Amino acid sequence: MPLGLGCTARPGKSREYKTGSWRVFRPEFIAEKCTKCGMCKIICPEGCIGENEEGLPVPDYDYCKGCGLCAEECPSEAIEMKKEEK
Amino acid sequence: MKEDEAACVLFDAGHRACGGCAAAMAARLILDAAGKDTIVVSSTGCMEVFSTPYPETAWNVPWIHSLFENNSAVASGVVESLKKQGRKEKVIAIGGDGATFDIGVLCLSGAFERGHDFTYICYDNEAYMNTGIQRSGATPYDASTTTSPAGKCSFGNSRPKKDLPAILAAHGAPYVATASIAYPPDLKKKVEKAVSTPGPCYIQIHAPCCTGWGFEGEKTIAIGKLAIETGLFVSYEMEEGKITKVKKVVRKPVEEYLKEQKRFRHLFKPKRNDAEIAKIQAIADRNAEKFGIDIKLKK
Amino acid sequence: MLEIMEGSHAVAQSVGLCRPEVIAAYPITPQTHIVEALAEMVADCTIDAEYITVESEFSALSACLGASAAGSRVYSATTSQGLALMFEVCFNCAGMRLPVVMSIVNRALGAPLSIWNDHQDSISLRDSGWMQLYAEDNQEAIDLHYIAYRAAEDHRVLLPSFVCFDGFILSHTYEPVDMLSQEQVDSYLPPFKPYHRLDAADPISFGLFASPDYYMEFRYAIDQAMNQARNVLPEAGRVFSEMFGRDYSGMVEEYRLDDADCAIVAMGSICGTAKDAIDEMRDAGKKVGLLKIRAFRPFPVKEVQKALAGVSTVAVLDKNISLGSKGAVALEIRDALYGSQIPVLDYIIALGGRDVRKKDIAAVVDGAEAGKGDIYYGLREEVLK
């Protein structure tokens, strides 16, 4: 890779760093309890929660740091933090 | 993730912010609201460092960082260059409270006085977090920081928070607002309003810092809500210097907010300091009166 | 066609001919006449530029940095304390490879406060990654702006550039100058083509921070660009002389140096005085010549070595002092001549605007030939007692 002239970089590169490796607790999404309100998607500091075809939230564990904010704020308690097993 | 959504991620994953970081959340919400035709001018600070370690960048919009204290001046240059070129991108300068309240205030004042068409957004985590939680002009009364530590003859920071929104409103800014990451839709609405208002606009986003304030990352939003609910941070809008909208609350006592954070622990341990807590309550009471935030419940 | 103009106004007019798109400057003596003249041109629409009346020099250069990154040709001018206030931004412009051109109307730095000329201001930014060009007279001051833009914006270089000329001595002096026409300047200086720019259609991040894994390589790349400038600057000067007749093809200029025993080395307006003094000394049978340093950064080592190869003594006139060491130019000359056995004597001279006359140059040459140097020339011993 040639040096980015003037300390520059093109977008997309941050995804090469997988922050999921930081995780100690893992959010488990419980589909039955989810009301698809979208709160978890809005507040995730990593922006790494998407949704599947049914509109249910799907976290990208490559980037999820396991901060637990989604579980804390989920209005229907549909996310549980479980100790990461590595 | 659906393809159209992926294309919309303007502040990308892979950044090195702490888990539960309000500034990272703010960056994403700001760009969600402002859209892709936005140029971001960042000051040195947490957000800059965690988002752009070379050769990685989390920014999928054009982004520039020069120095700690000059983002408003750099933004002035960007705005005038775009004007000269007939380009329509919006310009947002982002800085932490150290960059905004303290070291960058000369450039900020100059840029607002000159009236460039840009939006300045301060993510206010109430201290210099990137360098290790030192006191800034935005640090609240009695908060213990590494340069205003609580001690045998100190209750922490001895000065109240600087009223920067009022200072910028006094420059004639057409739109000045405060917001909190605890209320994302409100925050986004304010960003949309600021970027679509001609002239220099200012938004101060209260961004609780789990590392610097001493609480668990999952509590970031809960803490942000308590700041609003106790009246210690007021969410409002000012248009042409007049307060036009205020978030009203059924106020809680300030200690509900203070006791959740290590930076105020000295007010409760080894023994409860009623006199200091009362002074902080008085700050909240003054805020409540000044902004009229209290929802009066019928008895 | 020759016109008699004040130096500052001549520079302002030549800058206007370069079609800057964004100008940001803050007033400071003796730079003010330049920025006032440019403000008038903007007010009268004789140039099509955005003029940002910033609240400090620090913001002046910061605004230029932003505008340059957004894709505009930019201009600023400052001096002395103003340049010192820009210190941080100077390093940033170079590191971000933004070809800002800035006039430095050379002035001393306080304390004590002085508004008069020496070279301490620009010399103190020696290591910032800016090219530094020094003008002897007003004609050279205006021509060097065209050359600076052309070399700075060349994609082989992409470095910012100072155009330095002496405060009051040149800036406030009326001299006859040949002002190029807009067509001539347009034919010499193509529109600015940024290497990359802030653009929503093609987003890029500027100014990332570098870990120890990358920082050194970025600094090396700037130094490599300076090396490129060693070729590009003379090339820009050569094209200029082919088109307009005035020769700036050298990063140094020799004056009666061919058979000289003693060489004076100097930068800026003092070279004019030195040339007159040399003519008189030559008439008296003394073999003296001048090596004028036009480009201080990049420093023209090879040209200096070649020009001074045959002399027996070198006397450097330094209008600056690296306190605790020597004058900055002498240090460069000694480094260039390392191993040659040619004595290089340093004369700290004309600090804070003290006048230098022909007889002072002659006295320096006498001293150098007697092996007396490394002194502050013309110190008033009586006020030190």
Side-chain angles (χ1 to χ4, degrees):
Chain A
M1 182 198 69
L3 207 58
L5 185 128
C7 323
T8 53
R10 293 271 163 198
K13 289 289 283 182
S14 74
R15 288 200 156 256
E16 289 178 16
Y17 185 74
K18 303 283 199 297
T19 50
S21 64
W22 298 11
R23 201 169 49 246
V24 178
F25 291 92
R26 177 188 179 92
E28 300 281 354
F29 289 68
I30 305 153
E32 301 77 61
K33 289 193 186 174
C34 178
T35 61
K36 303 177 187 175
C37 74
M39 176 64 89
C40 53
K41 271 180 67 178
I42 293 167
I43 62 170
C44 173
E46 314 313 313
C48 71
I49 302 175
E51 60 182 56
N52 66 13
E53 277 142 20
E54 294 158 58
L56 289 165
V58 181
D60 186 339
Y61 289 112
D62 278 351
Y63 301 103
C64 169
K65 292 170 184 164
C67 71
L69 201 52
C70 53
E72 181 74 17
E73 293 299 323
C74 176
S76 41
E77 296 180 354
I79 307 168
E80 280 178 17
M81 298 305 288
K82 298 256 174 72
K83 184 98 179 110
E84 186 74 45
E85 282 170 33
K86 286 188 183 169
Chain B
M1 228 177 265
K2 289 180 203 160
E3 201 173 314
D4 60 330
E5 272 175 41
C8 284
V9 176
L10 299 176
F11 184 75
D12 220 337
H15 59 76
R16 321 296 179 87
C18 304
C21 175
M25 207 190 301
R28 211 164 48 71
L29 294 170
I30 290 164
L31 289 186
D32 274 356
K36 68 178 180 53
D37 291 328
T38 304
I39 294 173
V40 173
V41 182
S42 174
S43 62
T44 308
C46 263
M47 190 190 284
E48 172 259 331
V49 169
F50 72 59
S51 65
T52 61
Y54 182 85
E56 295 164 18
T57 175
W59 301 86
N60 292 340
V61 294
W63 177 92
I64 184 169
H65 157 253
S66 168
L67 297 166
F68 195 4
E69 67 276 38
N70 71 350
N71 60 341
S72 312
V74 173
S76 305
V78 173
V79 168
E80 296 312 303
S81 171
L82 297 181
K83 195 207 278 179
K84 182 72 184 59
Q85 296 176 58
R87 287 164 57 187
K88 301 287 179 209
E89 288 116 307
K90 288 162 265 184
V91 177
I92 296 181
I94 305 182
D97 51 288
T100 309
F101 281 59
D102 295 349
I103 197 168
V105 86
L106 169 78
C107 296
L108 180 62
S109 174
F112 269 62
E113 174 274 317
R114 293 189 298 273
H116 302 285
D117 185 11
F118 79 121
T119 295
Y120 191 104
I121 299 179
C122 170
Y123 65 97
D124 176 12
N125 52 30
E126 303 190 326
Y128 292 90
M129 297 317 184
N130 192 40
T131 44
I133 318 154
Q134 292 86 15
R135 169 208 190 271
S136 80
T139 303
Y141 181 73
D142 270 2
S144 181
T145 73
T146 54
T147 52
S148 65
K152 281 181 186 151
C153 48
S154 162
F155 302 123
N157 184 44
S158 62
R159 298 287 304 154
K161 197 178 175 79
K162 188 196 281 190
D163 190 357
L164 193 61
I167 294 168
L168 292 168
H171 282 69
Y175 181 73
V176 169
T178 59
S180 167
I181 52 86
Y183 304 92
D186 175 69
L187 188 162
K188 285 172 70 171
K189 234 175 18 209
K190 286 169 175 168
V191 172
E192 280 164 20
K193 194 157 175 178
V195 296
S196 59
T197 302
C201 299
Y202 176 73
I203 303 176
Q204 187 168 313
I205 299 175
H206 201 231
C209 171
C210 49
T211 310
W213 297 8
F215 61 83
E216 294 300 323
E218 77 255 24
K219 298 284 187 197
T220 298
I221 287 180
I223 295 284
K225 280 187 177 156
L226 280 170
I228 299 283
E229 288 164 351
T230 54
L232 284 173
F233 192 90
V234 181
S235 177
Y236 61 93
E237 290 179 287
M238 282 173 98
E239 289 169 75
E240 305 296 348
K242 297 265 187 312
I243 291 169
T244 50
K245 200 179 156 206
V246 176
K247 179 167 178 60
K248 298 200 176 204
V249 293
V250 178
R251 255 196 314 144
K252 294 178 175 170
V254 293
E255 65 175 284
E256 288 192 27
Y257 174 64
L258 303 177
K259 69 178 198 271
E260 298 297 324
Q261 306 170 52
K262 278 190 190 152
R263 62 176 176 161
F264 295 114
R265 185 174 47 185
H266 57 286
L267 301 180
F268 301 94
K269 282 176 183 172
K271 67 178 183 12
R272 192 185 156 87
N273 189 331
D274 285 320
E276 285 302 306
I277 294 168
K279 284 185 198 170
I280 298 171
Q281 186 60 57
I283 293 171
D285 293 347
R286 277 199 300 276
N287 281 344
E289 192 181 344
K290 179 179 169 189
F291 292 97
I293 59 173
D294 284 334
I295 296 172
K296 302 273 190 287
L297 294 176
K298 284 180 188 156
K299 289 191 178 148
Chain C
M1 194 187 73
L2 290 179
E3 290 171 75
I4 295 177
M5 297 176 79
E6 191 196 272
S8 297
H9 291 156
V11 164
Q13 226 178 84
S14 70
V15 167
L17 293 171
C18 293
R19 300 186 186 276
E21 293 152 303
V22 176
I23 298 167
Y26 185 81
I28 181 168
T29 304
Q31 154 265 37
T32 46
H33 291 186
I34 301 174
V35 296
E36 288 166 1
L38 283 163
E40 275 179 31
M41 292 181 216
V42 172
D44 290 334
C45 298
T46 48
I47 61 171
D48 184 15
E50 299 295 335
Y51 188 112
I52 312 178
T53 51
V54 282
E55 80 296 334
S56 69
E57 287 91 354
F58 177 77
S59 281
L61 194 55
S62 298
C64 284
L65 182 151
S68 182
S72 291
R73 178 174 290 159
V74 300
Y75 174 77
S76 191
T78 192
T79 176
S80 182
Q81 314 300 141
L83 182 59
L85 190 56
M86 290 177 176
F87 183 91
E88 248 192 311
V89 197
C90 283
F91 279 72
N92 243 242
C93 288
M96 293 169 77
R97 308 294 296 277
L98 298 169
V100 180
V101 170
M102 180 156 66
S103 304
I104 307 298
V105 191
N106 285 114
R107 169 185 146 181
L109 271 167
L113 178 67
S114 165
I115 59 165
W116 291 279
N117 166 250
D118 67 31
H119 292 163
Q120 196 67 57
D121 50 3
S122 49
I123 289 292
S124 298
L125 269 294
R126 186 185 67 172
D127 303 332
S128 63
W130 287 58
M131 295 186 280
Q132 294 198 12
L133 309 176
Y134 288 79
E136 176 186 337
D137 55 26
N138 288 349
Q139 185 67 61
E140 188 170 11
I142 64 178
D143 291 343
L144 287 181
H145 282 85
Y146 311 127
I147 289 166
Y149 272 115
R150 184 167 160 133
E153 292 172 2
D154 190 302
H155 284 196
R156 292 168 291 174
V157 177
L158 290 168
L159 287 176
S161 183
F162 293 159
V163 179
C164 306
F165 55 101
D166 290 330
F168 293 115
I169 300 170
L170 295 182
S171 64
H172 286 55
T173 300
Y174 281 71
E175 284 186 350
V177 291
D178 176 31
M179 193 58 66
L180 299 178
S181 68
Q182 187 65 64
E183 293 69 35
Q184 285 174 310
V185 176
D186 289 347
S187 65
Y188 176 74
L189 184 62
F192 175 42
K193 283 201 186 67
Y195 180 82
H196 40 215
R197 64 172 193 178
L198 295 165
D199 185 352
D202 182 20
I204 186 168
S205 292
F206 278 72
L208 281 71
F209 86 87
S211 68
D213 289 340
Y214 290 102
Y215 182 83
M216 253 175 81
E217 284 71 18
F218 277 112
R219 301 298 286 173
Y220 173 76
I222 303 169
D223 206 28
Q224 289 297 102
M226 276 284 179
N227 280 333
Q228 287 290 328
R230 286 177 210 281
N231 302 320
V232 173
L233 272 172
E235 184 184 300
R238 199 156 51 243
V239 174
F240 189 91
S241 54
E242 282 161 10
M243 291 175 76
F244 311 118
R246 291 185 291 278
D247 185 8
Y248 300 105
S249 59
M251 291 166 66
V252 298
E253 186 187 298
E254 298 177 29
Y255 184 74
R256 303 189 80 168
L257 205 55
D258 273 353
D259 62 341
D261 292 326
C262 180
I264 298 165
V265 178
M267 304 197 299
S269 65
I270 200 171
C271 292
T273 314
K275 284 175 182 174
D276 286 347
I278 285 166
D279 289 345
E280 287 180 7
M281 286 185 270
R282 284 274 180 181
D283 290 346
K286 255 191 178 163
K287 289 186 173 176
V288 187
L290 170 73
L291 182 66
K292 174 171 114 181
I293 307 292
R294 180 175 286 130
F296 181 69
R297 283 290 179 273
F299 193 77
V301 178
K302 289 205 173 102
E303 291 86 335
V304 167
Q305 286 168 340
K306 188 159 161 273
L308 297 179
V311 305
S312 48
T313 307
V314 176
V316 181
L317 307 180
D318 261 307
K319 279 192 172 187
N320 72 88
I321 171 67
S322 177
L323 298 166
S325 180
K326 296 282 183 292
V329 182
L331 292 172
E332 297 289 345
I333 301 294
R334 276 187 190 160
D335 176 57
L337 297 185
Y338 178 73
S340 74
Q341 310 299 321
I342 303 170
V344 177
L345 298 158
D346 191 19
Y347 298 86
I348 307 302
I349 197 165
L351 299 188
R354 185 161 301 175
D355 204 17
V356 175
R357 293 149 299 179
K358 285 184 286 186
K359 66 174 187 181
D360 298 314
I361 307 285
V364 163
V365 170
D366 286 343
E369 286 180 343
K372 275 197 288 184
D374 291 358
I375 56 162
Y376 281 61
Y377 176 84
L379 271 189
R380 293 179 61 211
E381 298 290 348
E382 68 274 21
V383 300
L384 290 167
K385 278 180 192 139

